[in-house]
Amino acid sequence: VTVSVLYWRSGTMYTADSVAGSNARFREYVTNVFEDVPHNTVVLNIYDITWGNTILGPLGLGVHHTGVEVYGREYSFGRSTSGTGIFEVTPKKCSPHTFRESIVLGQTKMAPEAVRALVRTSAGDWIGTRYHIARNNCNIFSGFFANELLSADGPAMTEHPPLAVHQVFDGPRGLCAVLPAWVNRLADVGVRWAPSISDRVEAMDRDAR
């Protein structure tokens, strides 16, 4: 199955072809450049956590952080010693990770106030102490949050025509279908085939904080 998507790299937004049926990483070619993206556009921002992604990335096994951008803010989930693990940053500026690329998932029908309300009401479900590097991570939150934004009822809050860019991926366990599988594949493989190793890595990451 081939779907059209919007794709961001090096400060430019493109349309591209992506082979969704195999969950392959982008095999894109540039067809158009979008200069005016509506504010209600839902964007998945993807970061590299390790330099090893230069090797693992082409294999679809990179180690990635993700956040969901909408209305000029980026929302993500991480470990904390108390309270919610949901946090917001300036889009594409989530330190200490290195921004890699963005994928436009669609447009939300939520108004900005409704998005902020969603963040508040979700806070109790995404507690920072419940973060797990493989079982309950930022990518799983991104899937949840993007799904909530894109499934909302009501008119689209924009004067622009809708973008026909909604991706259809069969993501791994825990991810909604709008996220490409390679974003969280390494964690999913670890949970499925090497759960004890995943838990040891989680313990190491937790103790390092």
Side-chain angles (χ1 to χ4, degrees):
V1 178
T2 300
V3 293
S4 294
V5 300
L6 283 182
Y7 180 69
W8 174 287
R9 172 165 283 179
S10 301
T12 305
M13 192 78 75
Y14 307 104
T15 59
D17 278 358
S18 174
V19 182
S22 62
N23 281 323
R25 201 169 182 281
F26 281 97
R27 302 170 186 173
E28 74 271 19
Y29 63 88
V30 176
T31 55
N32 287 295
V33 177
F34 283 74
E35 297 179 351
D36 186 16
V37 178
H39 294 303
N40 69 323
T41 302
V42 179
V43 179
L44 180 70
N45 291 328
I46 304 169
Y47 299 78
D48 287 329
I49 296 178
T50 172
W51 63 267
N53 280 359
T54 57
I55 299 172
L56 296 172
L59 302 175
L61 292 173
V63 183
H64 300 288
H65 171 78
T66 59
V68 176
E69 177 184 348
V70 65
Y71 292 120
R73 298 299 293 169
E74 180 180 315
Y75 301 90
S76 191
F77 172 67
R79 193 187 306 280
S80 63
T81 56
S82 63
T84 185
I86 299 176
F87 63 93
E88 63 178 276
V89 297
T90 301
K92 306 175 184 68
K93 302 291 184 182
C94 189
S95 177
H97 310 307
T98 302
F99 174 71
R100 181 184 183 89
E101 61 197 68
S102 295
I103 302 173
V104 174
L105 302 176
Q107 289 176 300
T108 185
K109 295 180 180 179
M110 285 185 173
E113 296 77 13
V115 173
R116 289 192 288 270
L118 173 62
V119 173
R120 290 193 299 270
T121 57
S122 301
D125 295 326
W126 296 89
I127 300 299
T129 54
R130 298 176 189 165
Y131 176 92
H132 188 287
I133 200 168
R135 303 177 191 275
N136 193 41
N137 60 26
C138 58
N139 301 322
I140 293 173
F141 169 79
S142 291
F144 156 79
F145 195 61
N147 188 64
E148 291 294 305
L149 293 173
L150 295 173
S151 63
D153 294 329
M157 303 301 296
T158 177
E159 298 177 356
H160 299 264
L163 296 174
V165 295
H166 195 78
Q167 293 192 66
V168 183
F169 281 95
D170 293 322
R173 181 178 51 206
L175 265 67
C176 76
V178 297
L179 268 65
W182 57 265
V183 167
N184 201 56
R185 181 175 288 128
L186 189 60
D188 186 62
V189 168
V191 169
R192 187 182 299 266
W193 300 109
S196 61
I197 295 177
S198 294
D199 289 338
R200 285 201 295 270
V201 173
E202 158 62 18
M204 292 170 59
D205 183 71
R206 183 179 61 247
D207 293 343
R209 301 304 173 97

